[in-house]
Structures are given as structure tokens and as C-alpha cells.
Amino acid sequence: MDKKCFFHLYADGEDSRNFIVCEQDKYAAFNRVGICALASGVQVVTFSVEESHIHSLQYGYYEQAVAFKEQYELLTVHYIVNTRGSKDDVFFHCDIEEVKDQEYLRNVGVYTIIQPTKDGKQVMPYDYLWGSGSMYFRSPLAVPLWLVGVDGKVCEPVRIGSLPLRARQSLLHSKHEVPSDWLVCNGFLLPSNYIDVSLFEQIYGSFNRYRVFLGNGRAKNETVQLSMAQSRGVEVEDIEARRLCSESCYRMFGRYDPRALSSLQRLELAMDIRRQHRLSLRQISTVVRLPEREVRRYLDRSAGTRVEAQAGVGPEKD
């Protein structure tokens, strides 16, 4: 039986440069995290949204992490089409990586919230408005960033259920509903509705340990970046991917077209392509003609990937 694990969700900024092009897009991408957390059932531990990508640390079952990923991708496409009239050449695709060990978990935890600072924005993670970095190891007297208006005055949050239907839909940019007692303020679906702050703090155990990891140097960040690259796999031209698939298909089954294979044979072919050529799971799914969800389910847990099941990963009790 599957167990709950930590997952790192991330998007490739090179593929989705027009993910966010205006302030309204930022609000929509930010609030979409809460919608997808509710719909998928996964516990969102951290997240940060930037103009070209998103990072998030999550905890739950694999199926819940996949459901969040798929829902976020789908709602993103719907939002872009509805507000711009087309996909605007945005290819928005997320990957998920199961976190294998405690040390790496702590690296990923801070990596997901230092993104804005790491990427050159003149802001510390605990002052970044478009992520959850301001929520951890804070004094109970600290005022949440999202309650402060443009005039510097602190606003009172309101229950989303008290808003008219059109106002709720405008804030969520979706027909999806959230619990009526969830709080909103200044256009934000407040992360306190769904972010698991205590789980994040358990990962580090103390203020001082969190401070140490928050100051991670380049080597620690590169460890996460390398792991993401290995997990994501390589993207090649589609015609080249089809050629590699046909060659493997003929070598293994004496046929060039994977459509002539059974589902299990296609899965075996997918595993071979991943092992031999390290193609991305999205591209393998396309060429072997299997749903990406199924390809991820089996290949993410096959030998040689970072997401092999491993016991003992979770918050430490100090």
C-alpha cells in the first residue's frame, strides 16, 4: 500500500516564459494553489510563484500529488485562454519528485521559498508576497503580508462565503468553490486556509536549524537543481523521440509502431526508453501512447530515478 511522502513540484521556466505577464496573472496563479490543494487533498507545505514558474513542497499520497499537478496545469491553461483568447504560446508543465531523505528534504524546503531571492529579486523570502515564505518560524504578533493594503494599513480578512458569487469567481478565476469559511483579503485567498505551517516547522525542528538551511550556499542549491534535471529527463525534437521509440519497439517486439502493442508491452517499452535515453516522462507518454499519469505511476518508481520509495522520510521530532 502506498504511504504518504513529501513531493517537490516545479515547473520549467524556460518552457513557460509567459506564464505570468501582468499583476492579475499573479493573483490568479497564487490563488490557484489553494483551489488545487483542496481539490487534490494533498497538504501544501510551501510554495512560491514567479513570472515563469512555480515551486511547491507537498505531503500526501502520490495520487494526490499527481492530482494537484494535473489540476494546476489544467486551470492554468483555462485561465490563460479565458483572459488572453489563446494559449499565448505558453507550454506550462509541472514535474513532481518524491523526496528521498531527510537532508534533501530540508534543502528542498528552503529551495522552494528562496526562489525569488535566488532569481535576483530584491526581496527576502519572508517579505515575498507571492509565496508562503513569510509564514514559518514567525512571532504570533507578525502581521501576514496579505493583510497589508497598498496604503500600508492592515485590513480585516473576510469569509469568502460572504462575497457575491461573481466576486468569488473573479477572485478565484474559476467556477471551483472553496469552503465558505475560508478567508480572503486584498484579492488573496489567504494561504493560512490550507498551508501546513506546523509540518514545515517539524522538518527543521528549531529556529536555528531553519536559519542554517535558509542560508544554504550554491552547492546545496545545485544539489536540488541537479536532482530536478535528472528527474525531469531530456526533451528532444518530437521526430527524434518517435525514431528512438520505433527503434526500441522493433528491437523488443519486432514491430515499429507501439500502437500494435498491448498496454503492458507499451509500459515495458516506456521503461526501456527512459533507461536508455532518459527522455522526459511527458515525451515518453506521447510516443508510447500511454496516459502520462500511468507512465509516471510506474516509471517514477522504477530503478534509476530519484523517486524510488524509501522509508524514514518525514518530519523529525526534536
Side-chain angles (χ1 to χ4, degrees):
M1 180 181 296
D2 282 352
K3 62 182 179 68
K4 287 188 174 182
C5 304
F6 284 97
F7 296 93
H8 179 195
L9 174 137
Y10 53 92
D12 188 346
E14 290 301 313
D15 288 335
S16 49
R17 283 183 289 271
N18 291 336
F19 170 49
I20 290 175
V21 297
C22 65
E23 196 86 340
Q24 177 181 294
D25 291 356
K26 286 186 178 181
Y27 281 97
F30 184 99
N31 292 339
R32 211 155 43 234
V33 176
I35 297 171
C36 295
L38 179 68
S40 66
V42 79
Q43 291 173 266
V44 177
V45 186
T46 71
F47 77 97
S48 61
V49 172
E50 291 193 81
E51 287 77 5
S52 62
H53 61 285
I54 180 174
H55 281 269
S56 177
L57 178 65
Q58 303 174 356
Y59 183 72
Y61 295 108
Y62 177 73
E63 290 73 18
Q64 292 175 321
V66 172
F68 181 100
K69 160 191 144 54
E70 293 178 345
Q71 184 82 328
Y72 199 90
E73 290 171 344
L74 181 63
L75 292 183
T76 297
V77 171
H78 285 176
Y79 169 80
I80 291 174
V81 171
N82 289 339
T83 57
R84 306 180 200 174
S86 70
K87 290 185 177 180
D88 197 25
D89 294 325
V90 177
F91 173 69
F92 185 80
H93 174 80
C94 294
D95 281 285
I96 51 175
E97 175 191 9
E98 185 179 321
V99 180
K100 290 185 63 177
D101 58 71
Q102 199 75 36
E103 186 78 3
Y104 186 69
L105 173 62
R106 291 175 180 139
N107 287 334
V108 170
V110 297
Y111 187 88
T112 59
I113 58 177
I114 66 170
Q115 285 298 299
T117 306
K118 183 183 72 67
D119 291 342
K121 290 182 170 59
Q122 300 301 301
V123 62
M124 295 300 290
Y126 42 76
D127 287 328
Y128 186 61
L129 190 62
W130 309 101
S132 63
S134 63
M135 302 179 73
Y136 314 108
F137 293 99
R138 302 305 301 273
S139 162
L141 300 179
V143 177
L145 300 178
W146 311 283
L147 303 191
V148 182
V150 292
D151 57 0
K153 294 182 179 179
V154 177
C155 305
E156 282 292 327
V158 300
R159 294 168 59 253
I160 194 170
S162 68
L163 302 179
L165 176 61
R166 181 164 295 185
R168 296 199 303 269
Q169 292 180 346
S170 176
L171 187 140
L172 299 175
H173 292 283
S174 169
K175 293 184 178 179
H176 286 73
E177 291 283 359
V178 298
S180 62
D181 60 347
W182 276 23
L183 298 177
V184 298
C185 191
N186 293 322
F188 292 100
L189 184 64
L190 296 182
S192 54
N193 293 307
Y194 58 88
I195 290 288
D196 197 330
V197 173
S198 64
L199 183 55
F200 179 88
E201 294 180 350
Q202 288 176 50
I203 293 172
Y204 298 92
S206 69
F207 281 73
N208 198 45
R209 182 182 285 164
Y210 175 57
R211 176 191 63 80
V212 170
F213 276 86
L214 196 60
N216 274 349
R218 178 179 298 178
K220 294 289 187 180
N221 290 334
E222 287 177 350
T223 298
V224 179
Q225 292 165 347
L226 176 61
S227 182
M228 288 192 296
Q230 291 173 338
S231 179
R232 183 186 295 124
V234 179
E235 289 277 346
V236 300
E237 292 292 334
D238 287 346
I239 190 168
E240 173 69 6
R242 286 193 292 270
R243 182 186 68 78
L244 294 173
C245 177
S246 294
E247 290 177 354
S248 292
C249 189
Y250 184 78
R251 171 171 52 79
M252 297 174 68
F253 304 106
R255 301 175 181 229
Y256 285 106
D257 192 344
R259 288 176 295 185
L261 306 180
S262 69
S263 296
L264 288 178
Q265 288 173 324
R266 294 183 197 186
L267 180 59
E268 188 177 347
L269 175 62
M271 290 179 173
D272 182 78
I273 295 172
R274 179 70 165 177
R275 185 169 54 252
Q276 296 292 333
H277 306 292
R278 295 297 303 170
L279 295 188
S280 73
L281 300 183
R282 181 201 67 81
Q283 200 160 43
I284 290 174
S285 159
T286 300
V287 296
V288 304
R289 298 177 182 272
L290 281 175
E292 186 177 338
R293 175 185 287 261
E294 293 304 306
V295 170
R296 283 188 173 278
R297 178 190 298 272
Y298 294 101
L299 269 67
D300 269 0
R301 276 146 168 76
S302 63
T305 68
R306 226 199 129 73
V307 292
E308 291 178 81
Q310 176 170 321
V313 180
E316 266 194 6
K317 306 294 185 183
D318 278 15

